[in-house]
Amino acid sequence: IKEAKKLMKDAEKALSNYNLDKIANFAQLDEGILAIDKALQNAELAATSNGWLVKGQLYGAIIDRDFTMPLKDPSWKKTEYSAGLKAYDAFKVAFDKALKKFEKEDALKGMGETMANINNHGIELYQASEFERAAEEMSTLLVIHNLLKENGKETFLDDPEKYNTALLLNGFCN
C-alpha cells in the first residue's frame, strides 16, 4: 500500500503541476494517468474512493487540455477521445466506494463537470455518423443527469429543451 500511496501522490502532483501552468505542464497529465492506474492495481487503495477521485480529476484535466491546447497550438490534436467517459467511470466508482458525505459530493461534482464534454462529444460523433459511439456518450449523459437529480443536484439538462434534445439524440443513435 505504501508504494500505491506514493504513486497516488505522484498522480496528484502531476495534476497540481498541470493546474499551475497548463501549457508548460500538459504532458504531466499522461504521467499522472500512468501513476494512478498503477496505484489502483493495489486492492487496498482501489477499495477506497480516493484514488478513483484522482483518476476522474486527471481525465477531467485531459478534457480541459484537449480543449485549451488547440487555442494555443492550432496543430494540437485530441489525445484521448473517451476522456469524458473515463472520467465518469472513475467518478462513479469513487461515488460507489465513498464512505463519507464529502467523498460522495466530490464524485458528484466531478461527474457534473464531465457532462458538457460528454454532450459535446456525443453531438460530434452523431454529426460524424458514428452512431454507436454517440449512443454511448448520450446514454452516459442521461445516466449522469439522473444520478445527479437523485442526489439533489442541478444539471444543464434541467432545461426541458436540452433534455429533450439529449433524449432525441440518444434515441436516434440506439
Side-chain angles (χ1 to χ4, degrees):
I1 186 77
K2 196 174 192 179
E3 178 65 20
K5 285 184 177 182
K6 182 193 177 309
L7 287 165
M8 188 170 84
K9 290 285 183 208
D10 291 347
E12 289 172 323
K13 185 176 180 184
L15 181 60
S16 179
N17 287 343
Y18 169 75
N19 286 327
L20 287 173
D21 188 344
K22 294 180 180 191
I23 303 302
N25 298 325
F26 73 87
Q28 289 194 20
L29 292 178
D30 298 320
E31 296 166 16
I33 291 292
L34 292 173
I36 199 62
D37 283 345
K38 192 167 183 182
L40 287 169
Q41 291 174 7
N42 177 280
E44 192 175 334
L45 183 69
T48 69
S49 67
N50 297 345
W52 297 103
L53 283 170
V54 171
K55 184 172 182 166
Q57 291 165 349
L58 281 162
Y59 276 109
I62 287 173
I63 294 165
D64 177 68
R65 175 185 73 185
D66 285 347
F67 176 75
T68 58
M69 283 302 289
L71 303 174
K72 190 76 172 163
D73 177 2
S75 67
W76 176 264
K77 300 287 184 234
K78 256 186 189 183
T79 59
E80 179 58 72
Y81 286 91
S82 58
L85 295 177
K86 289 180 179 181
Y88 161 71
D89 289 340
F91 285 128
K92 179 66 170 90
V93 172
F95 180 81
D96 292 341
K97 293 183 180 293
L99 300 176
K100 298 178 179 146
K101 184 176 180 176
F102 77 88
E103 292 170 333
K104 285 196 179 289
E105 291 295 320
D106 287 349
L108 289 169
K109 179 181 178 209
M111 282 186 243
E113 290 172 351
T114 66
M115 284 185 72
N117 170 268
I118 290 171
N119 181 64
N120 293 340
H121 194 232
I123 291 168
E124 286 174 16
L125 290 167
Y126 175 79
Q127 290 170 340
S129 299
E130 293 187 42
F131 300 120
E132 190 174 315
R133 290 179 58 209
E136 183 180 13
E137 300 271 344
M138 300 314 289
S139 295
T140 301
L141 178 70
L142 294 168
V143 167
I144 295 170
H145 171 72
N146 291 333
L147 182 61
L148 291 172
K149 296 313 298 172
E150 289 169 11
N151 287 277
K153 306 296 179 199
E154 293 182 5
T155 80
F156 70 88
L157 290 182
D158 289 341
D159 176 331
E161 186 177 330
K162 290 178 181 170
Y163 183 75
N164 288 333
T165 299
L167 281 176
L168 187 66
L169 282 175
N170 189 46
F172 281 150
C173 294
N174 280 310

